Every structure is written in C-alpha cells, then in structure tokens.
Amino acid sequence: MKFYEIHYPYYALLKAESKEEALKLYVEAVCDDDGSLNEELKEVERDYALATYGRFSKTEDGKYIPISHVLEDFKNNEQMVLLIDSTLL
C-alpha cells in the first residue's frame, strides 16, 4: 500500500494501491474533483503517514484512537481514508 496526502480543497490522508485509487477514494469520501486534485495529491512516506494518523485520529466523541487500532489500519490491505478535514465532519 501507498499513502497519499492532499491539503486542497480539503485535507485528507489516504491509503491506496495507486494514486488513481487514492483520487477515487477522495472523490467518494470528501469532495468532487475540480480539476486540481491530481496535482494536489502527493505520495507521502509510510512513517510520516503513520505518525500523522496516530497523532490526529480521533473517534466521534473526541477521544484518540488506540494505537492498536492505528497499527491494525496500517497493517491490513484495505484501501481507506485515514484522516479527513475536521470541517467536513
């Protein structure tokens, strides 16, 4: 799996097989492509993604996700949106 980050128009951290799959996830979960997403989406290092996810992931009630769940999300082969801009929640 690869990890991708996008800051505009809304922040997201994604785990996907490819940049194309990450763009699909972003459009499904966050917002439509205004034509700039391909340029905005950047691949990031696994360790950076892990640190970011572990530091900023919270449950709906505002509590941090346990590290065991963070590691589980990173170990599985499921493509997913890991983090999303809090203004969209």
Side-chain angles (χ1 to χ4, degrees):
M1 281 294 163
K2 296 179 181 179
F3 299 90
Y4 299 89
E5 188 175 54
I6 187 167
H7 291 273
Y8 177 85
Y10 297 102
Y11 178 81
L13 180 65
L14 309 123
K15 181 174 83 166
E17 292 284 337
S18 66
K19 188 172 185 177
E20 293 76 22
E21 291 296 319
L23 284 171
K24 269 197 234 180
L25 283 171
Y26 187 83
V27 169
E28 289 172 6
V30 182
C31 73
D32 291 332
D33 187 355
D34 64 358
S36 69
L37 294 183
N38 194 43
E39 292 177 24
E40 295 292 329
L41 187 67
K42 303 294 183 206
E43 186 173 352
V44 297
E45 294 291 326
R46 181 188 184 281
D47 290 346
Y48 170 85
L50 180 59
T52 302
Y53 186 48
R55 184 173 181 199
F56 295 108
S57 58
K58 293 184 180 181
T59 62
E60 290 179 7
D61 59 358
K63 295 181 181 178
Y64 286 99
I65 294 176
I67 193 67
S68 60
H69 291 212
V70 169
L71 293 173
E72 185 178 312
D73 286 344
F74 266 71
K75 287 180 183 179
N76 72 38
N77 288 325
E78 182 181 341
Q79 299 187 127
M80 63 178 65
V81 177
L82 297 169
L83 292 174
I84 191 170
D85 193 312
S86 62
T87 61
L88 298 173
L89 301 176

